[in-house]
Amino acid sequence: MALGSHSRSQRTALSVGLSLLTNLLIAQPTLATNVFTCYANDFVDPSHTVGHYAANLAGAQDTIVAWANEMNSYGPWSVTDKPILAPSGNKHDYMSWAPYQWPDCSKAGNKTVLTPEQMWKTCPYVNRDGLVNPDRTTINDFQSFFNLSDAVLYNSLAFTFRNQSSSVYSQNVVKFIKGWFLDAATAMNPNLNYAQMNRGPNGQHGEYTGILDLRGFSKIASGILILRKHGSSDWTAEIDNQMVAWCNKYIDWLQTAPNALQAAAAKNNHGTFYVNQLMALKLIVNDTTGATTLGRGYFGGIYKGQIQSNGDQPLEASRTRPYHYRNFNIAGMITNARLLKHADPTSNDWNTTSNGATIQTAIDFLMTTKPSATHEKDVTAEIYPNVAAVGATYGDLKGKYVNFLNVSGFPYASDASFLWDQPLAGGNTASSNSESKPISEASPHSVAPPASTSAHQASGTVGAVRPSMQIWVMYGILGIFGWRLC
Ligand SMILES: *[C@@H]1O[C@H](CO)[C@@H](O)[C@H](O)[C@H]1NC(C)=O
Ligand SMILES: *[C@@H]1O[C@H](CO)[C@@H](O)[C@H](O)[C@H]1NC(C)=O
Ligand SMILES: *[C@@H]1O[C@H](CO)[C@@H](O)[C@H](O)[C@H]1NC(C)=O
Ligand SMILES: *[C@@H]1O[C@H](CO)[C@@H](O)[C@H](O)[C@H]1NC(C)=O
Ligand SMILES: *[C@@H]1O[C@H](CO)[C@@H](O)[C@H](O)[C@H]1NC(C)=O
Ligand SMILES: *[C@@H]1O[C@H](CO)[C@@H](O)[C@H](O)[C@H]1NC(C)=O
């Protein structure tokens, strides 16, 4: 056949092929999705993952898939990636720098010729609460762990949107967990001896504050429990056993190391998040009794001193960034309540009081304050997931919480958290004529990445799905809020 004389069917095939190719190149989410947010912490009970999701959750589902895809583009992660060794000399040791510590080289003289390494060892470091030293980000272990924990959470959720025993999303979870915890070449040692490390002549050791760095374990526990619940064929018994063994060693460290015990004894957010982390680990190793004991210890213990009767949190209010720290601790309280509810379904700690107040009282108080009153920038969005959680849990008959979110301009019903902060008014009303939304190939909210993306994801070199112009504009608008709560 001569060139240029294609039959009709060949031409059709060619144009279908071309349009497929075009679709692959400019694959776009079907709805505007929220810009990625790293929540300070949360625990997603696997009971929120079902075979069919209600129609109003379509926006949240799309956002979750977009966030999974975005996180996948940064992974896999390993502590062995960092360019600097911990003082132990062991490249498998986790390390991060204390965020509020700044070098004072005035007494070390000669600061212009000090190399960074000399500065870290010879200059005394002083604390400036609330002021983050930007050099903290030259060592990425803490950011890597946050991204890992978000990747595990969102990939596990995205995996449940299809009724399959395996998908690129569950494969990603396994790949990321193996890379960080299990593979001999890249695994992290189960300790935080150099977390939020103190530098200077009296430093070179981690601080109790560094225990916070791994609070994302509650997101990782969510992901693992979800894969278990749905019988993912990728989450094999072998991987489960290896992960349980790793977590048991790390639990030993958290229950015995002096830094960890100091975090456990803290009465403020450090104590709250210590419980988040250890309860989550106990759920991973199936020690529900131990998790329950810890959670009850928190709500019967330091929680009782954390909220005043008017809803303020004195231990957080005294910090230099009170709006941030009040929200931060509320996120930890919510996570503890959710973890404990999972460990012991008969528990009801959302109703436990501290000086007559509950988590709801604390949010009600915070909703009347403004970050500008304490000159805090880029923290406005921190309250949104907390307000959504409180509205969903305590009920929102008068629409107080939803209105707060609406007036703030936060598209809460297309946020990831809307999937588990239920029931809360709102959501995708366009398709609300159908009772529930089974996710299928034909669904307008189909969650499968395009074939090419899947292939890349499976081999670990995925690029993020390219957002549409509409989404870029939305990113720009939402960027004003400075979303990234971690
Ligand atoms: C999921 O798949 C299983 C087996 O393939 C089937 O029995 C079940 O009905 C499906 N569930 C849904 C919600 O489609
Ligand atoms: C400054 O430090 C450099 C390198 O440590 C050293 O070679 C030099 O002699 C020092 N100069 C002074 C004036 O101390
Ligand atoms: C973590 O994710 C953020 C986006 O939220 C990204 O900017 C950053 O580069 C990622 N870092 C690592 C180490 O993955
Ligand atoms: C978890 O522990 C419970 C008892 O607390 C037990 O019944 C269950 O079989 C255990 N599950 C696994 C996966 O080990
Ligand atoms: C608080 O307790 C009351 C009475 O037992 C119950 O009806 C309500 O659901 C509880 N609220 C939460 C948020 O658990
Ligand atoms: C939120 O605001 C939008 C308009 O901006 C409105 O359509 C919607 O009904 C509001 N939702 C609730 C639950 O008040």
Side-chain angles (χ1 to χ4, degrees), residues 402-403 406 412 425-426:
V402 154
N403 283 338
N406 238 7
Y412 69 93

Side-chain angles (χ1 to χ4, degrees), residues 77-99:
W77 302 267
S78 162
V79 294
T80 60
D81 291 341
K82 64 180 165 299
I84 300 162
L85 282 182
S88 59
N90 187 325
K91 70 175 179 148
H92 296 279
D93 277 339
Y94 177 96
M95 179 179 167
S96 64
W97 279 332

Side-chain angles (χ1 to χ4, degrees), residues 257-342:
N259 283 355
L261 295 180
Q262 199 181 341
K267 293 188 166 19
N268 65 358
N269 68 78
H270 289 280
T272 311
F273 283 106
Y274 175 86
V275 175
N276 278 189
Q277 190 178 156
L278 192 50
M279 274 180 98
L281 286 155
K282 296 211 177 218
L283 290 180
I284 294 174
V285 304
N286 195 32
D287 177 9
T288 41
T289 311
T292 302
T293 305
L294 258 171
R296 289 201 185 132
Y298 168 75
F299 282 103
I302 61 170
Y303 171 80
K304 294 279 187 189
Q306 289 188 335
I307 317 175
Q308 286 175 341
S309 53
N310 71 348
D312 198 4
Q313 301 170 72
L315 300 175
E316 310 305 329
S318 62
R319 301 290 296 268
T320 51
R321 296 192 295 151
Y323 193 85
H324 160 73
Y325 276 108
R326 288 180 182 121
N327 267 306
F328 193 53
N329 195 45
I330 291 177
M333 291 174 173
I334 288 171
T335 303
N336 277 339
R338 287 177 164 167
L339 284 159
L340 182 51
K341 188 79 184 166
H342 181 81

